Amino acid sequence: MTVLDDELPAVARLHPDLLDALRQAATAAADDDVTFYVNSGWRSPAYQERLLREAVSRYGSEDEAVRWVATADTSPHVSGDAVDLGPSDATDWLSEHGAEYGLCQIYRNEPWHYELRPEAIDDGCPTMYADPTEDPRMRQ
């Protein structure tokens, strides 16, 4: 799915400001023959919890799993404030141009994960966290 697929909840339920920035960036990226595909956007709390359980099983502990998957209470995907994009040419394009639209990679270990930081338009994207365990929003 692309950022234009309004009929899909993963896109349609993204925060309107994030979706608007994604669409503006996607329009500009298309001029460079780059298409943004949404690998994961908005997620229901139940789906987020399932992802966390699967990550615990995969990584062997919740401490390790939360480096990759947030809880339903802390995930910016559940609130519609985050999107995971691909393929790599899209994330490469956003690494170079995303700040112009307020779109920033938040975690060094997740080059596909972008969130809206409107201040980045003037100030550039903030320093990335190594992974979600460093993000104070993830602590509950």
Side-chain angles (χ1 to χ4, degrees), residues 12-64:
R13 295 190 70 179
L14 289 172
H15 189 283
D17 294 339
L18 172 59
L19 188 54
D20 183 55
L22 284 167
R23 289 179 171 166
Q24 288 180 34
T27 299
D31 292 340
D32 294 329
D33 295 319
V34 173
T35 302
F36 294 177
Y37 289 98
V38 177
N39 295 327
S40 188
W42 172 83
R43 299 174 187 158
S44 71
Y47 181 58
Q48 186 68 32
E49 284 301 321
R50 188 176 103 210
L51 291 175
L52 181 58
R53 285 191 310 273
E54 289 170 358
V56 169
S57 178
R58 178 177 181 182
Y59 296 110
S61 72
E62 187 165 330
D63 286 344
E64 186 62 21

Side-chain angles (χ1 to χ4, degrees), residues 103-114:
L103 297 169
C104 297
Q105 181 184 344
I106 303 302
Y107 309 117
R108 279 192 297 276
N109 73 327
E110 295 185 12
W112 53 83
H113 180 98
Y114 279 81

Side-chain angles (χ1 to χ4, degrees), residues 35-129:
T35 302
F36 294 177
Y37 289 98
V38 177
N39 295 327
S40 188
W42 172 83
R43 299 174 187 158
S44 71
Y47 181 58
Q48 186 68 32
E49 284 301 321
R50 188 176 103 210
L51 291 175
L52 181 58
R53 285 191 310 273
E54 289 170 358
V56 169
S57 178
R58 178 177 181 182
Y59 296 110
S61 72
E62 187 165 330
D63 286 344
E64 186 62 21
V66 295
R67 292 186 62 233
W68 304 97
V69 180
T71 68
D73 293 334
T74 62
S75 175
H77 286 279
V78 172
S79 61
D81 294 318
V83 63
D84 294 346
L85 298 171
S88 60
D89 65 336
T91 56
D92 291 346
W93 192 94
L94 278 171
S95 290
E96 186 173 339
H97 304 286
E100 297 168 35
Y101 303 90
L103 297 169
C104 297
Q105 181 184 344
I106 303 302
Y107 309 117
R108 279 192 297 276
N109 73 327
E110 295 185 12
W112 53 83
H113 180 98
Y114 279 81
E115 297 180 24
L116 183 63
R117 296 292 185 272
E119 65 279 2
I121 295 169
D122 294 324
D123 302 331
C125 289
T127 302
M128 284 183 259
Y129 299 110

